[in-house]
Structure formats: structure tokens, C-alpha cells
Amino acid sequence: MTSLHCTLSSPISVNILDSPQRRRRTTIRCSVKIPKNILNATDSGSSKLSLCPCGRRHFLGDATTTTPFLPIPPSHAAQSNSSEVLNKLRPPKPDWYFELYGWFRSSGMERYEKEIAGYKKKLFNQVGNAEKVLEIGIGAGPNIKYYNTLPNVSILGVDPNPKMESYARKSAIQAGLKSEDFKFIHAVAECIPLEDASVDAVVTSLVMCSVTDVTQTLNEIKRILKPGGRYLFVEHVAAEDRSFLRMVQNVLDPVQQVVADGCHLTRPTGESIIKAGFNGGVDINKASLTSFYHLSPHIYGVAYN
């Protein structure tokens, strides 16, 4: 097992642990270019105006009043813009398509979930004392049962497939979650209708393979996480270069994108997460599964905001 730890600084230090007896350390210098549209600006009043990567505006004043569920309700403009991005990145499909894929995610992944359960239990033990958790690509809600040990937890589930809501709610009920503590949001990962620094933890599981823009998704995760918040991930990734499995993935990738709702087999998701620049660093572990051979290489870990 290889474990990586990386922090956003200049230079970036990466520890590579090949075994308990052998540790290699290397230093990488990097620079981050911030687009003008996400630089902070200040309006004529006392509030602070920031532009999120998907173009929404957020006014952060001194008010501390919160709602029982969301710290700051998203504005109507933010919700409208999220819908526009959803329709652009995920054009509407027939209901039968959404129903079919929802059924598959609910009933066709049992073998996979049984095999990955040990890794997920280990991972979700690191969620900390999170009270507000956002799961991107919640699907049929197979991870909700891992949150039931958290006291006073509220779950936000984002998914571009509206038919996933009924499956996710069923999973929430089975996990013992109160109906008022679960909210489904029909949106894409690249433009989430939540305010800055509004959740304690973000979770993705088999999601980064199918988002349209991995970098934008990671920027959104960092934006909505509170300082000190955690991003937990379990993702399948590309196999080693020049390996037989990588050759198989290269051949199957175009077909996979069509039959699996945009899923890519050859994305280097671990590298993308490290390059995203989480302030507290990233811990990544590797795993190999047998449920689906072409999805065998996995990473799981935590990024600290």
C-alpha cells in the first residue's frame, strides 16, 4: 500500500511510504494561477463579496443567524444558476433512462458494496464530529448507513439524476435517519447551490469518474467546506501505465462513457486531488478490488481543508 501526504505550500513536500522501513521524501515546486472571476472583491458596503468558480455571488456579512439546516440559505440567483449549469452539463434525458440507471445503482452494486465495505468503514471513521455532511453523487445512498454513528448529523445529497431521490430517502430511513435530517439537491458537482464554508464534510464515492470537470468539482468542494473541514473520497482510477489492465481500460473507456452515464476509466483522480491544493494536506491509500475487473484500481482517503 502506498500512502501520500501533501500540503499546499511552496514548495510542496510529498512523503511516499513504500514500507514501514523505507521512506522517501521529495519536494515539488508549484504555482497556482487564480482566475480573475474567483478573486475576492469588496463592494461599497461593509459586506464582503466573493465570486465562486461557477459565477455565483456570495455576500458574507457579520450576521450569525442560521437556519436549523443550512447555515446560510442559497439565494434564488444561486439556485437558478445551478439549474442552468445542470442543464448545460447534463442535458435532460428521458425518464426511462434516469429510472433504469437509478435501478442499477440501487440493485446492481451489491457485490461491489460488500467488497468495498471494509475500506469504507475505515474511511468514514475519519469523518470527525461533522454535523452537516454533503455527499456529491449520492445515488441510491449506499453510504448513508456509515453516518448513523454521528450525533445530530444532517445529510445533503447532491445528484444530477432526479430519480435517485426516492432510493436515497429509502436508504436514509433504513439507516435510522430522520426525514428532516436528509435533503436531496438536484444539481451537478461543478455548481453546487450552497454558500461558502457551509458544510463540515464532503463525500464522493465513484463520482470523479463521471463529472464533466474534475478541477471545477474540487474547487467547489474546497469552497463549500468550512475551514478545517474534511473531504472523504473513494474512487476508481486508471491502472498503471503500460499494464495489461490499463490497455483493457483504454479499449473499454469510450463504451463505458456511453453505458455508465459518462464514467471514465482512465482518470488519474488521485493526482487531481493532490494538485487541488487542500490547505491541510491529503492522505491517499490504494486498494485493488475484484468485483469489476476494469474498475479494480481504487484510491480512498481524506483531504483536509
Side-chain angles (χ1 to χ4, degrees), residues 35-293:
K36 291 182 179 179
N37 69 317
I38 62 171
L39 290 174
N40 288 339
T42 304
D43 66 358
S44 57
S46 62
S47 295
K48 185 176 180 181
L49 166 64
S50 64
L51 297 179
C52 84
C54 62
R56 295 195 303 279
R57 295 185 177 186
H58 304 283
F59 295 86
L60 304 177
D62 295 329
T64 58
T65 303
T66 63
T67 65
F69 192 70
L70 295 179
I72 306 176
S75 66
H76 175 72
Q79 292 175 329
S80 299
N81 192 66
S82 176
S83 297
E84 291 174 4
V85 176
L86 168 65
N87 291 329
K88 180 180 179 181
L89 299 184
R90 293 278 182 144
K93 292 184 173 73
D95 278 353
W96 66 262
Y97 178 89
F98 288 128
E99 290 280 10
L100 179 62
Y101 196 68
W103 171 85
F104 172 74
R105 289 300 299 266
S106 175
S107 305
M109 300 291 288
E110 291 182 0
R111 181 184 171 193
Y112 170 84
E113 289 297 337
K114 287 180 180 179
E115 185 174 4
I116 197 70
Y119 297 104
K120 284 188 175 182
K121 288 178 181 178
K122 184 187 302 184
L123 177 63
F124 283 96
N125 283 337
Q126 302 181 59
V127 73
N129 296 318
E131 293 186 353
K132 291 182 176 65
V133 177
L134 169 69
E135 182 163 347
I136 301 174
I138 194 166
N143 297 324
I144 295 179
K145 61 179 175 287
Y146 297 107
Y147 305 128
N148 61 8
T149 58
L150 298 175
N152 305 316
V153 67
S154 296
I155 307 298
L156 290 162
V158 169
D159 206 286
N161 184 342
K163 300 299 183 182
M164 291 297 186
E165 180 174 4
S166 61
Y167 293 106
R169 287 196 176 279
K170 181 179 179 181
S171 295
I173 293 173
Q174 291 175 342
L177 196 68
K178 297 179 181 178
S179 59
E180 61 267 26
D181 290 334
F182 176 78
K183 181 177 181 179
F184 183 88
I185 301 174
H186 185 211
V188 288
E190 292 85 350
C191 192
I192 301 171
L194 295 177
E195 298 297 329
D196 298 355
S198 58
V199 299
D200 301 304
V202 175
V203 175
T204 66
S205 176
L206 303 185
V207 168
M208 290 300 179
C209 59
S210 59
V211 298
T212 302
D213 190 329
V214 175
T215 300
Q216 174 64 20
T217 298
L218 290 168
N219 286 339
E220 279 287 85
I221 290 172
K222 292 191 298 177
R223 180 184 68 79
I224 62 179
L225 270 176
K226 295 178 181 179
R230 300 180 181 187
Y231 164 43
L232 284 67
F233 53 88
V234 181
E235 301 287 345
H236 71 80
V237 295
E240 295 291 335
D241 288 337
R242 295 182 294 277
S243 66
F244 177 75
L245 177 53
R246 182 58 178 272
M247 182 182 68
V248 172
Q249 289 179 330
N250 289 338
V251 171
L252 294 180
D253 193 46
V255 179
Q256 179 80 0
Q257 293 178 42
V258 174
V259 301
D261 203 28
C263 172
H264 294 70
L265 296 175
T266 58
R267 283 186 171 172
T269 301
E271 296 177 14
S272 298
I273 294 174
I274 290 175
K275 292 177 181 178
F278 285 88
N279 291 330
V282 180
D283 291 322
I284 297 182
N285 303 287
K286 292 183 178 181
S288 181
L289 305 183
T290 61
S291 299
F292 298 98
Y293 175 69

